[in-house]
Amino acid sequence: MDLPVDEWKSYIFQKWSLLPKSIQDTISTADTLKDIFLHSSSLLQPEDETFLKSLASGYLVGKDPNAPPFYREEGNKKFQKKDYVGATVLYSKGISHARPHTADISLCYANRSAALFYMDEYEMCLKDITRAQMHGYPESLQPKVTLRKVECLVTLGRLQEAGQTIRDLESNFAAKPTVAAAQFQILQRNLCRLKMKVQERERLTATFPTTLTKIFEDMDLREVNEQIPCASSSVSLCMDPLRGRYLIATEDILPGELLLKEDAFVSVLNPGERPPLHQGLANKWDTRVTNGDLYCHRCLTHTLAMVPCDGCSYAKYCSHECMQQAWGLYHNRECPLGGLLLTLGIFCHVALRATLLARFEGASKVIRKLSSEISNKDMCSPESETPLRSDLGGESEENGNIVQTPVPGCDVNGKYENNYNAVFHLLPHTEHHSPEYKFLCALSVSALCRQLEAADSSKPDAAAPPILCSELSTWGVAMLKHMLQLQCNAQAITTIQQTALSGSEENNVTNSRQVRLATGIFPVVSLLNHSCSPNTSMSFVSTVATVRASEKIAKGQEILHCYGPHHSRMAVAERQQKLRAQYFFDCSCPVCQKEKHRATVGPRWEAFCCGRCGALLQGGDVLSCGGTSCMESVSRDHLISRVQDLQRQVGGAQKLLGNGQLEQAIQLLLGCRHDAENFLSPEHSVVGEMEDALAQAYAALGDWQKSAAHLQKSLQVVEAQHGPSSVEMGHELFKLAQLFFNGFAIPEALNTIERAEKVLLVHYGPCSDEIQELQKMKSCLLDSPPI
């Protein structure tokens, strides 16, 4: 997904292994990225490009006139089953494959408007009706969508528009006496009904004032930071010759304070697991739902009413405005290369898009610096950058004199902004990447550059300006640098997805799950160093990252972020291995130092207990009871085998839940819980999984009291593993609040809502969906009459 598809990686790695050692050495010891790129690209042969094109052709990213009828029919099946979300997605797929101003696209838009109408998405429904009419919706079907339009306008309170639309429709009927009598009578009855509805709504509007809705606005950044415009004034950028760049607190910071609010310089939507669709399959059109079907490819806004690119079926947007912006910035160059970009992976796509965006900042001079670089040190080490006039930076001693170390990425005034200059100065760590990996990246970028050149030369002279510039190889070097930067500097853009508990769709009880939505580059966020126990929390709204203090940060303390390996999710050895492999460093944060010197007792959520006395077991391959009067011992492998067996049974119970076999699932889970009591700590993660599954089962049965009791036991495990103020704890408290709310346990619900708000406000601020929902529940409970 991040890297090219496995077939291309294997092909290039084999090509590397067959190169003469002298050529391998030339590339491995190349002094500059330019040398790596030029040496590697000279080895890209026509047969290599042919193989890559064959892989890219497996992705169906063009317009296919046979696809819209298929997707419309599949969508109709979902619609008839009242699965309106599923129908909407399938209609959207049909729209993306249809050419503009055809019957296919107009029919798909009209059908999607019907699904949106039944989902109470009236604004989106109106837009789709307009799109259907704009693309030539058949005249004979116009009355049907016009009546739907009136229904939407009435519901939205736009009564004048509704009345005018009714009058226009009546005029059309009068002008067309050829309408069949039966059809005319049906339409007349609908019009009369809608007229009455308009009149009733007019009376209601005159009687009752519009309800005032309190809108929570997110906290603004504290004052203006002259040094880092998208950071709070309580944050400062520092530089150390050994540690590089980092951020510190210039004053005491409280939990929940907003520290950074940065829009991605560049982002690319994660397409999800989409293997190439090879020819010969019975059904070549994919009906699976992916991120690309639900989120705008430019701003990442969630939408069910996608507007597709006119030239391809892959790129889809939340609005015509987003589509136009994307086209002007980068998609006019990416559009014919969709299959190739999916084949080469997200990193290559981000690298291309960053370079395309650089054109709008006049970044040619910055990029041409690559041509004059002398060594890998010049490209990778902050201390080697050309000195800038800056009041910032660290200090080092040279011949007894204090020398100011400039901060790479700052402008001549010492300001560090979200721009291409900052992106360019992110470290590619060229010397740490393996020669094979650099060869893969260089050949992938080279193949992409050749396709860009071919696409540009195939256009009429006046159709478009040159893609990048006449020195395409120089821009290719820039793309290679960005691709190498991304291993350490790519930021996963995530979103919280709410899914209904199995069987509880009608009761509004949901699980919160963080999913990766896109990959972006955030130059300011990239300044944050790693800790396995960070003092910040990051969340996203669209393409904007917000970083908040998750605990009190004292003046002068470094502001830290977790790169992924968190102490609550994996042991120290695994964390170190992952950080070393991806980020090329060994972590020495306090929690790592503590765990390295800790005894053989593992974390509580992985602990085993003695089956005889209940005390914790300790040791290595053989675990012994920690009780003073118990001599019990057992093989670790034996206990791990028992855990794995329990996990298989819990997985089977969850399948039963999904199939609606609730009683069978409960019996299986209760048996698992009985077995677990004999050898697992009460705070073991598997115990938490069992209790959570039992909570889901009882919620599906509507037994809110039992469901809440089991979820509270699951909460104990979450608290032991992640901490009482963790975001994981906040999500579980939110779910518990929903259970108490549905069970009308008012005191318990209000108490849990308060606890959930306290945690979630620190991590997400007041604008998050969960906070808004908690506020609604609280308001409803407080307004309820006493029992």
Side-chain angles (χ1 to χ4, degrees), residues 288-544:
R288 293 171 298 171
V289 180
T290 67
N291 285 342
D293 300 311
L294 300 173
Y295 295 91
C296 176
H297 285 225
R298 192 195 76 82
C299 71
L300 306 182
T301 298
H302 182 273
T303 180
L304 289 171
M306 288 290 194
V307 178
C309 167
D310 288 341
C312 68
S313 63
Y314 174 69
K316 290 168 272 191
Y317 306 94
C318 64
S319 64
H320 187 71
E321 292 73 23
C322 257
M323 180 183 72
Q324 287 183 315
Q325 289 178 31
W327 182 263
L329 291 171
Y330 48 78
H331 190 63
N332 59 337
R333 304 306 182 185
E334 296 176 356
C335 185
L337 305 175
L340 180 64
L341 292 170
L342 287 169
T343 304
L344 293 178
I346 291 177
F347 280 4
C348 199
H349 196 166
V350 172
L352 168 64
R353 190 170 289 182
T355 314
L356 290 171
L357 290 172
R359 298 173 300 161
F360 297 96
E361 292 192 10
S364 299
K365 291 182 180 179
V366 177
I367 289 178
R368 289 195 181 96
K369 282 178 61 181
L370 283 168
S371 301
S372 61
E373 287 172 340
I374 299 172
S375 66
N376 281 341
K377 180 183 178 184
D378 292 323
M379 294 178 287
C380 306
S381 301
E383 60 268 30
S384 66
E385 298 289 347
T386 303
L388 301 169
R389 183 171 65 82
S390 173
D391 297 329
L392 309 172
E395 293 180 344
S396 60
E397 189 169 334
E398 185 176 307
N399 299 324
N401 298 317
I402 299 298
V403 178
Q404 193 77 17
T405 306
V407 179
C410 289
D411 63 17
V412 293
N413 297 312
K415 183 177 288 188
Y416 190 94
E417 297 186 272
N418 179 311
N419 57 23
Y420 188 74
N421 183 53
V423 171
F424 183 82
H425 284 90
L426 296 175
L427 302 184
H429 297 285
T430 313
E431 73 280 14
H432 293 301
H433 293 292
S434 69
E436 295 90 342
Y437 181 75
K438 287 183 281 193
F439 186 64
L440 169 68
C441 294
L443 254 63
S444 298
V445 168
S446 179
L448 179 57
C449 284
R450 292 190 189 182
Q451 289 304 305
L452 285 165
E453 197 168 31
D456 199 43
S457 62
S458 67
K459 295 178 182 289
D461 291 342
I467 289 177
L468 297 171
C469 65
S470 58
E471 303 170 11
L472 192 60
S473 63
T474 301
W475 292 80
V477 178
M479 280 189 266
L480 175 58
K481 179 171 186 175
H482 296 321
M483 199 168 177
L484 294 177
Q485 286 173 333
L486 285 165
Q487 179 164 319
C488 294
N489 292 287
Q491 175 62 54
I493 300 174
T494 61
T495 187
I496 301 297
Q497 289 185 350
Q498 306 284 352
T499 55
L501 296 184
S502 300
S504 67
E505 288 82 356
E506 296 180 0
N507 296 310
N508 298 320
V509 181
T510 58
N511 267 324
S512 301
R513 186 169 66 100
Q514 187 181 63
V515 296
R516 179 180 170 187
L517 186 58
T519 298
I521 297 179
F522 296 82
V524 178
V525 169
S526 291
L527 297 173
L528 295 169
N529 282 330
H530 167 80
S531 171
C532 297
S533 180
N535 52 20
T536 61
S537 180
M538 187 182 299
S539 61
F540 299 88
V541 178
S542 184
T543 57
V544 178

Side-chain angles (χ1 to χ4, degrees), residues 110-297:
N111 285 16
R112 193 173 75 180
S113 76
L116 291 168
F117 178 82
Y118 281 103
M119 294 164 62
D120 299 333
E121 297 288 354
Y122 302 113
E123 290 286 2
M124 286 194 285
C125 176
L126 286 172
K127 289 179 181 178
D128 267 5
I129 290 171
T130 301
R131 290 165 184 149
Q133 294 170 331
M134 181 182 70
H135 286 282
Y137 192 61
E139 186 69 25
S140 61
L141 300 176
Q142 287 284 353
K144 182 168 64 173
V145 294
T146 305
L147 290 172
R148 188 179 303 143
K149 177 180 179 179
V150 174
E151 291 269 19
C152 291
L153 291 171
V154 171
T155 306
L156 292 170
R158 292 156 60 176
L159 305 180
Q160 288 186 346
E161 290 179 68
Q164 184 60 51
T165 305
I166 290 174
R167 289 190 290 274
D168 291 343
L169 191 55
E170 288 177 323
S171 299
N172 288 337
F173 288 159
K176 296 179 181 178
T178 56
V179 176
Q183 183 184 5
F184 184 77
Q185 288 177 0
I186 293 172
L187 291 172
Q188 282 288 76
R189 283 199 299 270
N190 281 324
L191 279 173
C192 289
R193 177 179 59 82
L194 287 172
K195 280 182 179 179
M196 292 174 62
K197 195 170 182 180
V198 170
Q199 292 167 1
E200 179 65 21
R201 282 298 299 268
E202 285 174 341
R203 287 196 297 271
L204 288 171
T205 303
T207 305
F208 299 102
T210 304
T211 303
L212 296 176
T213 303
K214 183 178 180 182
I215 300 173
F216 290 91
E217 295 184 354
D218 203 352
M219 293 192 312
D220 292 326
L221 289 168
R222 186 193 271 183
E223 300 178 0
V224 177
N225 190 318
E226 299 293 342
Q227 186 183 10
I228 313 171
C230 61
S232 161
S233 61
S234 57
V235 174
S236 180
L237 171 60
C238 297
M239 177 72 193
D240 182 89
L242 298 178
R243 297 171 57 199
R245 300 169 295 185
Y246 60 98
L247 299 179
I248 64 165
T250 58
E251 56 187 87
D252 290 344
I253 296 171
L254 297 176
E257 184 177 328
L258 186 60
L259 304 179
L260 301 176
K261 192 171 184 178
E262 181 182 22
D263 198 355
F265 175 81
V266 61
S267 63
V268 171
L269 185 74
N270 172 16
E273 296 299 327
R274 292 187 57 181
L277 305 175
H278 300 291
Q279 294 181 355
L281 292 178
N283 179 12
K284 65 178 181 177
W285 296 302
D286 191 6
T287 57
R288 293 171 298 171
V289 180
T290 67
N291 285 342
D293 300 311
L294 300 173
Y295 295 91
C296 176
H297 285 225

